[in-house]
């Protein structure tokens, strides 16, 4: 595969955009080399600036669940754009997508739309703090909720710890209110709660983690978090930016039958346009301005083009829930095929999967939290990434990411991918 044009475009981009990208993970820092510039995409395929066709397993980090340039969404956006692109005033469209989302997702009465997953999670935490009248939050090492200050925190030393900033610009004052827990470790969470009695407003969690690779909750973990929150008057926030409308029509709450107090959305809910959202029962959502005292706002929140894309996407998914089963079957097929060839090639690996989220970790031990995810052999991951890229397959340019399948993938695409995994892993 040739990437001459992409390399030229990257050199141009670096002159006027920091790092040449508008989001760091795109820069290939974790795998080496220079990023691929996309010219267009359709269905399961990306077409890059060098004329290469790539089977896409990232799908814009989740949104393109029905394939790139999904015709109903494209048409909806085109038609809406002809009527104006932004008004800063309410439109019926916002009520339509809000009502549909509320009908699809358990335990929510109202939803507020924003422009990104970061905004959704940031606003949800502010709402939780305002509603609960408490300052501290618990998040989990390795879980990512966007780049809002309260989330850019890593553990200090010791099991029970106050966070310390892991990005300049985040103040110690902010970090002190973020407590860091270990994913899939209920005892650790219980200890943090005991050490901060009546000070914790919320626990925010990816109910299926996708930012350490894919890490499903171990049996009882989410149920245990639910119980701990109920017993200690703490709000449970499910960050379903990745899992919402992907793992089931009602997300993880439906799939695993665990109730959150606030749910955050992004990615799929916007059908590929900038949309985030957060939702809860009316008692909580009514605390938001202009009804309640917790302030949150946005010029482009509920933007007509984004709402048209999102509504069309949700309608498509809601009209035919069999797509979730189809995605699960395709991902299971890919899982079984990769497992077979990696074993045959004596590779040390673990594959984590739930629904249409999957990741390959180059370590034979179970990957259940950030520490175990960090043990993966990154040299093999780099060979894996670039080897597959050379075969015309695009996976996440980092071992700490999940793959997101699209239902536009055919079984021929999956067989092609399995053969490529076999070929590449023979070089390890
Ligand atoms: P955005 O602000 O990027 O729309 O969403 C933040 C966010 C919140 N919660 C979860 C669970 C997320 O996965 C994300 C964003 N996901 C990353 C992929 N790991 C987006 C890719 C990027 O940062 O460019």
């Amino acid at each position: 595969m040739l990437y001459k044009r992409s390399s030229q475009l990257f050199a141009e981009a670096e002159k006027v955009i920091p790092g040449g990208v508008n989001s760091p993970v795109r820069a290939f820092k974790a795998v080496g080399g220079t990023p691929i510039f996309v010219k267009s995409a359709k269905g399961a395929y990306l077409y890059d600036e060098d004329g290469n066709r790539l089977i896409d397993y990232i799908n814009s980090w989740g949104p393109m669940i029905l394939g790139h340039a999904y015709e109903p969404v494209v048409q909806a956006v085109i038609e809406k754009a002809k009527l104006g692109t932004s008004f800063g005033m309410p439109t019926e469209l916002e009520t339509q997508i809000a009502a549909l989302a509320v009908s699809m997702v358990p335990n929510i009465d109202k939803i507020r739309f924003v422009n990104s997953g970061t905004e959704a999670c940031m606003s949800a935490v502010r709402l939780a703090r305002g509603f609960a009248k408490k300052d501290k939050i618990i998040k989990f090492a390795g879980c990512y909720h966007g780049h809002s200050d309260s989330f850019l925190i890593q553990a200090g030393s010791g099991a029970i710890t106050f966070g310390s900033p892991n990005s300049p610009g985040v103040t110690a004052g902010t970090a002190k209110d973020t407590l860091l827990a270990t994913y899939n470790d209920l005892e650790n969470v219980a200890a943090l709660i005991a050490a901060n009695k009546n000070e914790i407003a919320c626990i925010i969690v990816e109910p299926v983690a996708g930012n350490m690779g894919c890490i499903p909750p171990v049996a009882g973990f989410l149920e245990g978090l639910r119980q701990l929150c109920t017993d200690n008057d703490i709000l449970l926030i499910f960050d379903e930016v990745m899992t919402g409308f992907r793992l089931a029509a009602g997300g993880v709450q439906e799939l695993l039958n665990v109730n959150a107090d606030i749910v955050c959305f992004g990615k799929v809910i916007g059908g590929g346009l900038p949309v985030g959202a957060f939702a809860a029962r009316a008692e909580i959502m009514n605390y938001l301005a202009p009804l309640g005292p917790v302030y949150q706002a946005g010029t482009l929140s509920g933007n007509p083009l984004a709402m048209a894309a999102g509504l069309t996407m949700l309608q498509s998914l809601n009209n035919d829930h069999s797509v979730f089963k189809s995605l699960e079957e395709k991902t299971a097929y890919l899982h079984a095929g990769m497992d077979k060839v990696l074993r045959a090639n004596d590779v040390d690996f673990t594959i984590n999967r739930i629904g249409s989220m999957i990741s390959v970790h180059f370590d034979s031990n179970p990957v259940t939290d950030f520490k175990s995810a960090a043990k993966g052999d990154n040299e093999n991951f780099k060979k894996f990434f670039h080897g597959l890229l050379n075969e015309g397959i695009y996976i996440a340019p980092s071992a700490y990411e999940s793959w997101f399948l699209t239902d536009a993938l055919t079984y021929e695409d999956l067989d092609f991918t399995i053969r490529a995994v076999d070929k590449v892993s023979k070089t390890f």
Side-chain angles (χ1 to χ4, degrees), residues 290-320:
L291 209 50
V294 176
Y295 195 70
Q296 181 277 327
T299 303
L300 293 173
S301 296
N303 171 272
L305 303 195
M307 295 289 95
L311 177 62
T312 307
M313 175 61 79
L314 296 194
Q315 285 168 334
S316 299
L317 294 171
N318 199 42
N319 292 343
D320 178 10

Side-chain angles (χ1 to χ4, degrees), residues 42-220:
K42 181 67 180 167
Y45 312 120
L46 299 165
Y47 298 90
D48 73 15
E49 289 284 358
D50 289 282
N52 300 311
R53 189 196 83 165
L54 302 172
I55 300 176
D56 187 6
Y57 283 100
I58 294 308
N59 289 292
S60 181
W61 302 98
M64 314 325 297
I65 191 169
L66 297 178
H68 287 288
Y70 176 61
E71 201 52 35
V73 166
V74 172
Q75 285 313 316
V77 172
I78 289 171
E79 289 316 307
K80 193 52 71 177
K82 291 174 186 168
L83 303 174
T85 55
S86 184
F87 314 117
M89 297 161 73
T91 62
E92 184 186 6
L93 201 48
E94 294 157 80
T95 310
Q96 290 168 328
I97 184 174
L100 178 56
V102 165
S103 73
M104 292 170 76
V105 177
N107 307 305
I108 64 170
D109 301 322
K110 294 188 176 181
I111 187 167
R112 170 65 61 86
F113 287 96
V114 293
N115 302 282
S116 69
T118 294
E119 248 193 293
C121 294
M122 173 183 75
S123 309
V125 162
R126 182 182 312 133
L127 176 59
R129 284 171 159 154
F131 181 80
K133 298 177 181 54
K134 294 184 268 186
D135 293 347
K136 289 192 176 128
I137 71 171
I138 290 178
K139 76 173 288 288
F140 293 86
C143 282
Y144 178 69
H145 306 293
H147 62 88
S148 169
D149 284 7
S150 292
F151 303 138
L152 296 181
I153 305 297
Q154 64 192 11
S157 58
I160 298 180
T161 178
F162 288 109
S164 59
N166 69 349
S167 165
V170 176
T171 66
T174 298
K176 71 175 176 42
D177 287 331
T178 298
L179 305 173
L180 220 74
T182 303
Y183 197 75
N184 278 324
D185 183 343
L186 282 173
E187 272 178 35
N188 177 242
V189 178
L192 276 176
I193 293 172
N196 297 273
K197 214 92 189 94
N198 302 319
E199 294 185 76
I200 299 167
C202 62
I203 293 178
I204 184 165
V205 66
E206 291 181 55
V208 168
N211 287 287
M212 307 181 246
C214 171
I215 300 187
V218 298

